[in-house]
Amino acid sequence: MEKTIKAVGFSLTAGNNELIEKKLQRLTYADEHIVNLTMTVKYDKTFKVDTTVNFKWGAQAHVSTDDADFAAAVNMNVDTLDSKVSKEKEKYVGR
């Protein structure tokens, strides 16, 4: 899986990158099904996290969350993304 993580309106620190990488490890069960993942974190009074995942079979999952706290925004985003990836994987594998 190819990952792209971008920050808009602020610079990601090493700690922020570590947190994101740690949270994204929850998706390793679907690595062979995911082509790429793009996460954009924007800061404008709150942190808005947009993540898009593209699957091998052409499907796409998109999640958008926001929160005043960076860690909370990332955590909510990955929680929702985990659920969407799991459902999409089950649909595909169940064929």
Side-chain angles (χ1 to χ4, degrees):
M1 167 175 52
E2 179 185 323
K3 294 181 219 167
T4 305
I5 301 168
K6 298 183 248 177
V8 177
F10 75 108
S11 294
L12 285 173
T13 65
N16 290 348
N17 272 329
E18 277 182 38
L19 175 71
I20 291 170
E21 289 294 333
K22 180 181 174 192
K23 296 296 180 184
L24 290 178
Q25 286 178 0
R26 292 176 51 190
L27 302 176
T28 57
Y29 66 88
D31 271 354
E32 68 274 5
H33 301 294
I34 297 173
V35 174
N36 60 24
L37 176 145
T38 303
M39 179 182 281
T40 304
V41 184
K42 297 177 187 170
Y43 181 72
D44 183 25
K45 297 182 184 172
T46 62
F47 290 97
K48 181 174 181 176
V49 183
D50 290 310
T51 307
T52 303
V53 173
N54 293 303
F55 294 94
K56 287 190 322 189
W57 50 90
Q60 188 178 67
H62 180 79
V63 177
S64 184
T65 57
D66 62 8
D67 198 284
D69 180 58
F70 176 82
V74 170
N75 199 32
M76 282 189 298
N77 189 275
V78 175
D79 284 348
T80 307
L81 188 63
D82 183 26
S83 176
K84 283 191 168 198
V85 167
S86 178
K87 286 178 185 175
E88 183 62 34
K89 181 182 171 210
E90 290 304 314
K91 280 196 288 184
Y92 178 76
V93 173
R95 291 180 185 177

